[in-house]
């Protein structure tokens, strides 16, 4: 009886333990299932805001002294400019820089440092979307000279040099189609008009391998009034003072006795220093033949208490204010000039304001308004697709037999860039190709449906800058130009 009772108790205990174990497992499973459901719900609620962060991570800035940039500009920017501005590359936010639709290869970014700076490596973090192309390779220019071509890899592109300016040129991307024209075996490359290139973050390291915090000039909204502007006004507009390009300039007319510029900001700002790049610096010839500023007065509310003298040179000249100026209106009046060898117009290339060590410029929004107007004109001629996209031809020259590649970009901001490389058919791989780079501006001479004639003018960029001017005829299937451009297939 005792043995029977012990077996009955043991079986009962075993069943109780087994039931308790099953109950605990069920309870644990239910708790785990409930935890998973809650997590899924939380993730679903935040997926919209987190999706872009996961696809396009922006690395954190390091806590170090910032590296000041005198200027930063891109050759192409999607509208609205404020939403896709280049400055987003250096800010810890969710925004990014983008080219215009159809723009990608041969576009680029230029950074000008406050002083010669050693760069270790560059990592380009792209912004990914359905209509963005992947940057496959870039070329790097230090102080105007090509020093490297590299693929865009996660490990970064090596720089390892001290420089004052850096230009990053996009060489190749995906979404490029190729076709061959039978009449002369010309290979025509076309980047998709529905795609663009976008960069979320530009990571640059110094010589110690530390990530640099780049401080680009802040763009502050406002307007500018000027006593005169030389013709053509699109080329010498007062807005050129803040475009970050020393090769552009505001030119005042020869008969302007007042010679005054006024800056109106939407909100009060503090000015502790002013930096000026004197003269028209597109080329040495332009610098010498146009007038430069020798002395001007600076102040606020039509009171100009500070006299500033400038040297006759191309470097930026920074002047500290006797007392910090606080307000929403500033201005300067030119008092004496250095005469040009040929023209009586007076030029200033750039102006940069400072609040302590932080640079800022004035943003009028006029550049974007003018861009929209030019796009409308090309729409009327049914040739809008020619703007803001690269035309690229490659093949063998019928006269010389040399292999060539040439590309042209006509931008809606009224600038253009032309690249050409030519190499002898029998040349070895080590033999350098002959390069021609042209940059400048264009204006419409004649426009009608299916045909536009432009005046192209600017500089040949090489060891010695040369000026040029010629007409370009744009038709539905080809472009006809002069000299290095010649005829290009579309």
């Amino acid at each position: 009886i005792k043995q029977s009772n012990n077996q009955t108790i043991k079986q009962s205990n075993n069943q109780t333990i087994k039931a308790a174990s099953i109950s605990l497992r069920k309870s644990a499973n239910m708790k785990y299932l409930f935890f998973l459901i809650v997590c899924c719900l939380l993730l679903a609620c935040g997926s919209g805001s987190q999706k872009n962060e996961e696809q396009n991570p922006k690395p954190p800035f390091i806590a170090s002294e910032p590296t000041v940039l005198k200027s930063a500009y891109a050759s192409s920017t999607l509208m609205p400019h404020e939403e896709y501005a280049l400055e987003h590359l250096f800010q810890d936010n969710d925004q990014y820089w983008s080219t215009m639709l159809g723009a990608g290869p041969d576009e680029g970014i230029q950074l000008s440092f406050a002083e010669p700076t050693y760069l270790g490596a560059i990592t380009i973090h792209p912004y990914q979307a359905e209509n963005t192309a992947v940057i496959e390779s870039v070329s790097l220019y230090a102080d105007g000279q090509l020093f490297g071509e590299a693929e865009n890899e996660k490990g970064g592109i090596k720089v390892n040099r001290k420089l004052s300016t850096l230009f990053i040129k996009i060489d190749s991307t995906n979404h490029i189609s190729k076709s061959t024209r039978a009449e002369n075996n010309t290979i025509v490359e076309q980047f998709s008009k529905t795609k663009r290139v976008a960069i979320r973050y530009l990571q640059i390291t110094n010589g110690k391998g530390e990530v640099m915090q780049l401080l680009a000039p802040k763009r502050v909204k406002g307007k500018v009034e000027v006593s005169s502007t030389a013709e053509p006004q699109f080329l010498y507009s007062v807005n050129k003072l803040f475009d970050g390009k020393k090769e552009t300039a505001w030119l005042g007319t020869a008969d302007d006795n007042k010679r005054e510029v006024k800056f109106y900001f939407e909100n009060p700002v503090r000015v502790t220093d002013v930096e000026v790049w004197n003269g028209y610096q597109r080329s040495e010839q332009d610098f010498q033949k146009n007038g430069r500023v020798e002395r001007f007065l600076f102040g606020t509310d039509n009171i100009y208490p500070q006299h500033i003298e400038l040297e006759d040179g191309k470097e930026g000249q920074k002047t500290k204010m006797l007392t910090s100026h606080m307000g929403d209106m500033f201005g300067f009046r030119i008092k004496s000039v250095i005469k040009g060898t040929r023209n009586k117009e007076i030029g200033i290339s750039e102006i940069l304001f400072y609040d302590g060590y932080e640079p800022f410029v004035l943003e009028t929004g006029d550049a974007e308004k003018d861009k929209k107007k030019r796009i409308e004109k090309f729409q009327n001629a049914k040739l809008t697709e020619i703007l803001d996209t690269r035309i690229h031809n490659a093949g063998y020259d019928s006269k010389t037999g040399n292999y060539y590649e040439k590309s042209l970009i006509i931008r809606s901001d009224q600038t253009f860039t032309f690249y050409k490389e030519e190499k002898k058919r029998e040349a070895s791989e080590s033999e350098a190709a002959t390069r021609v780079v042209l940059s400048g501006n264009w204006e419409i001479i004649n426009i009608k449906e299916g045909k536009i004639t432009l005046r192209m003018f600017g500089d040949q960029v090489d060891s010695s800058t040369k000026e040029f001017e010629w007409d370009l005829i744009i038709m539905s299937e080809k472009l006809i130009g002069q000299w290095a451009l010649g005829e290009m297939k579309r």
Side-chain angles (χ1 to χ4, degrees):
I1 295 171
K2 185 176 180 181
Q3 185 178 4
S4 175
N5 287 339
N6 287 340
Q7 288 177 350
T8 301
I9 293 171
K10 188 175 180 180
Q11 289 176 357
S12 175
N13 288 341
N14 288 340
Q15 289 174 355
T16 302
I17 293 170
K18 186 176 182 181
S21 176
I22 293 171
S23 176
L24 286 172
R25 285 202 301 269
K26 285 183 177 180
S27 176
N29 289 338
M30 288 299 292
K31 288 181 180 179
Y32 182 67
L33 181 61
F34 177 75
F35 174 75
L36 287 176
I37 292 171
V38 171
C39 289
C40 289
L41 288 172
L42 289 173
L43 287 171
C45 291
S47 62
S49 61
Q50 293 177 0
K51 183 177 180 182
N52 192 48
E53 286 296 323
E54 292 170 359
Q55 292 182 352
N56 304 283
K58 177 173 284 193
F61 291 109
I62 63 170
S64 65
E65 290 296 322
T67 300
V68 177
L69 298 175
K70 292 289 183 76
S71 68
Y73 75 84
S75 59
S76 175
T77 301
L78 184 65
M79 296 184 289
H81 288 173
E82 185 177 3
E83 184 175 345
Y84 300 103
L86 184 67
E87 288 76 22
H88 297 318
L89 297 186
F90 321 118
Q91 298 169 354
D92 190 10
N93 58 32
D94 294 333
Q95 294 178 285
Y96 60 94
W97 165 74
S98 172
T99 64
M100 293 283 287
L101 280 174
D106 287 352
E107 300 292 4
I109 297 167
Q110 177 149 313
L111 310 179
S112 297
F113 294 86
E115 56 187 28
T117 303
Y118 189 93
L119 306 185
I122 299 171
T123 304
I124 299 172
H125 297 269
Y127 178 87
Q128 300 173 358
E130 290 184 1
N131 66 345
T132 59
V134 176
I135 299 175
E136 296 175 344
S137 64
V138 298
S139 291
L140 301 179
Y141 293 77
D143 301 326
Q145 300 297 317
L146 175 67
F147 73 87
E149 299 174 346
E151 294 182 356
N152 182 36
E153 299 176 343
K154 291 184 178 180
I157 302 166
K158 302 300 181 185
V159 179
N160 293 332
R161 67 184 61 213
K162 182 179 285 189
L163 45 77
S164 296
T165 64
L166 173 70
F167 182 67
I168 305 171
K169 173 176 165 283
I170 300 168
D171 282 339
S172 63
T173 67
N174 59 351
H175 297 293
I176 293 178
S177 61
K178 294 184 180 182
S179 61
T180 303
R181 301 300 166 87
E183 60 270 23
N184 56 4
N185 290 324
T186 300
I187 299 173
V188 179
E189 286 188 2
Q190 183 70 52
F191 180 69
S192 174
K193 192 63 179 175
T194 63
K195 302 295 181 180
R196 58 194 173 107
V197 167
I199 300 176
R200 179 168 172 76
Y201 175 67
L202 192 63
Q203 180 176 300
I204 302 180
T205 59
N206 57 24
K208 299 178 182 178
E210 301 169 331
V211 178
M212 300 167 67
Q213 182 181 356
L214 301 178
L215 183 62
K218 182 181 178 181
R219 308 197 73 84
V220 183
K221 292 183 180 180
K223 65 177 183 178
V224 186
E225 291 181 359
V226 63
S227 54
S228 69
T229 301
E231 295 290 344
Q233 292 195 13
F234 83 88
L235 186 60
Y236 305 122
S237 162
V238 71
N239 292 301
K240 303 299 183 183
L241 293 175
F242 306 111
D243 63 0
K245 305 175 185 178
K246 289 192 282 292
E247 62 270 21
T248 65
W250 164 70
L251 287 185
T253 60
D255 58 354
D256 181 9
N257 295 320
K258 199 172 184 180
R259 294 186 291 202
E260 187 175 48
V261 181
K262 294 183 178 180
F263 312 101
Y264 298 89
F265 294 89
E266 286 189 359
N267 298 299
V269 296
R270 186 176 73 130
V271 177
T272 60
D273 305 79
V274 175
E275 190 166 7
V276 177
W277 283 261
N278 204 2
Y280 184 19
Q281 299 190 19
R282 188 179 74 168
S283 66
E284 181 62 30
Q285 297 95 316
D286 285 308
F287 184 79
Q288 295 296 335
K289 71 183 182 183
N290 291 286
R292 284 88 67 195
V293 177
E294 184 178 52
R295 185 169 62 92
F296 70 94
L297 307 178
F298 183 86
T300 179
D301 296 327
N302 294 317
I303 301 173
Y304 302 108
Q306 184 147 357
H307 294 240
I308 298 177
E309 293 188 3
L310 297 179
E311 297 179 1
D312 190 17
K314 295 181 180 180
E315 295 299 319
Q317 301 179 54
K318 189 175 180 181
T319 302
K320 189 171 187 61
M321 299 292 98
L322 297 175
T323 58
S324 299
H325 295 288
M326 186 75 185
D328 56 10
M329 180 271 166
F330 300 90
F332 69 81
R333 183 177 293 167
I334 299 172
K335 298 302 292 181
S336 61
V337 301
I338 301 166
K339 293 182 179 180
T341 57
R342 192 174 79 182
N343 302 332
K344 295 182 179 180
E345 286 78 12
I346 301 152
I348 299 176
S349 290
E350 288 289 308
I351 289 182
L352 191 59
F353 301 113
Y354 289 86
D355 180 1
Y357 67 89
E358 298 182 4
F360 66 95
V361 295
L362 191 146
E363 174 58 63
T364 65
D366 291 340
E368 186 169 345
K369 295 175 185 176
D370 294 340
K371 183 189 286 191
K372 290 178 180 178
K373 291 177 182 177
R374 296 184 197 103
I375 292 174
E376 289 177 3
K377 288 184 178 181
F378 274 72
Q379 285 175 339
N380 296 334
K382 298 182 179 180
L383 287 171
T384 311
E385 70 276 6
I386 198 73
L387 288 176
D388 299 306
T389 192
R390 184 186 70 160
I391 301 169
H392 185 278
N393 287 187
Y396 289 93
D397 189 285
S398 59
K399 295 180 180 179
T400 64
N402 296 342
Y403 177 78
Y404 69 87
E405 290 189 28
K406 55 184 178 180
S407 64
L408 173 68
I409 305 173
I410 301 173
R411 303 187 185 92
S412 51
D413 66 356
Q414 220 156 346
T415 66
F416 80 91
T417 305
F418 173 79
Y419 295 95
K420 183 177 182 180
E421 288 192 4
E422 189 169 351
K423 201 168 187 178
K424 294 180 180 179
R425 186 188 291 266
E426 300 84 8
S428 62
E429 293 185 3
S430 60
E431 187 174 343
T434 302
R435 287 188 173 93
V436 175
V437 181
L438 307 178
S439 67
N441 299 88
W442 58 267
E443 62 179 345
I444 297 173
I445 297 176
N446 186 26
I447 184 168
K448 57 184 179 181
E449 185 174 341
K451 184 178 179 180
I452 297 178
T453 303
L454 305 179
R455 181 174 76 95
M456 316 290 284
F457 55 98
D459 306 302
Q460 178 183 347
V461 183
D462 54 18
S463 56
S464 59
T465 303
K466 301 175 184 178
E467 297 181 10
F468 66 85
E469 178 179 338
W470 32 259
D471 292 349
L472 175 68
I473 300 173
I474 303 171
M475 292 178 283
S476 59
E477 295 184 356
K478 61 183 177 181
L479 292 79
I480 301 176
Q482 298 175 27
W483 189 47
L485 192 144
E487 182 176 309
M488 294 186 70
K489 304 295 182 181
R490 292 184 56 195

